[in-house]
Amino acid sequence: MHPIIEENKAIWTTLAIVVSTCVLLMFAKIATKPKRKVALDPSKYIPFKLIDKKIISRDTRRFRFGLQSPKHILGLPIGQHISLKFVDSNNKIETRSYTPTSSDDEISYVDFVIKIYFPNQHPKFPDGGKMSFH
């Protein structure tokens, strides 16, 4: 055995025990983390109810949608998007993709910050944004 380790055997043993205990506690915390219910199902659209709308600026809104229960998280990895859909007045299904602005740690709701296109304000959208006024 190395002379330094032999001389300080008690210190090295204590250090090894402390490090091992910390590693075991980290694994125990990860293993006992409660599993949350996930709101999304990749095989189908899930209806979410609009529970709040906040004006951020003249043409920007924060929309908050409630998930299925107070125990659900959205279940979408950071940086990913979700497709929202609706049926317009001509019975045509419209979809738009948005990235949530709320964290996946948020329970019971998901937030989206969306720019609103008003009618006759932008040449690309003379009727306004379809999703904006649904």
Side-chain angles (χ1 to χ4, degrees):
M1 193 177 281
H2 196 278
I4 293 177
I5 294 175
E6 192 63 42
E7 288 176 17
N8 299 305
K9 197 172 189 178
I11 293 172
W12 285 105
T13 303
T14 303
L15 182 61
I17 290 170
V18 169
V19 169
S20 299
T21 302
C22 289
V23 169
L24 287 173
L25 288 172
M26 283 183 359
F27 282 121
K29 184 176 182 179
I30 291 169
T32 60
K33 188 176 180 180
K35 298 289 181 189
R36 305 259 185 205
K37 293 181 179 183
V38 176
L40 294 179
D41 180 345
S43 67
K44 62 181 178 180
Y45 277 90
I46 307 291
F48 297 133
K49 183 179 179 182
L50 179 64
I51 58 174
D52 188 40
K53 182 170 67 170
K54 180 179 180 185
I55 297 172
I56 303 294
S57 71
R58 182 190 70 75
D59 63 353
T60 306
R61 308 288 184 269
R62 189 222 54 215
F63 296 93
R64 178 167 287 177
F65 292 89
L67 304 178
Q68 292 94 321
S69 80
K71 295 184 179 189
H72 276 81
I73 60 168
L74 185 62
L76 190 69
I78 292 174
Q80 298 298 309
H81 65 273
I82 184 173
S83 293
L84 303 180
K85 75 173 185 174
F86 72 98
V87 179
D88 70 9
S89 59
N90 298 321
N91 285 330
K92 182 180 175 194
I93 295 175
E94 297 285 344
T95 61
R96 300 289 185 272
S97 295
Y98 298 100
T99 301
T101 54
S102 54
S103 164
D104 203 41
D105 293 329
E106 302 298 337
I107 302 170
S108 78
Y109 69 88
V110 59
D111 288 340
F112 297 94
V113 173
I114 299 173
K115 180 177 173 77
I116 306 299
Y117 293 95
F118 296 102
N120 302 315
Q121 295 281 318
H122 194 284
K124 279 182 75 174
F125 308 102
D127 297 329
K130 290 185 181 185
M131 191 66 90
S132 302
F133 293 99
H134 179 67

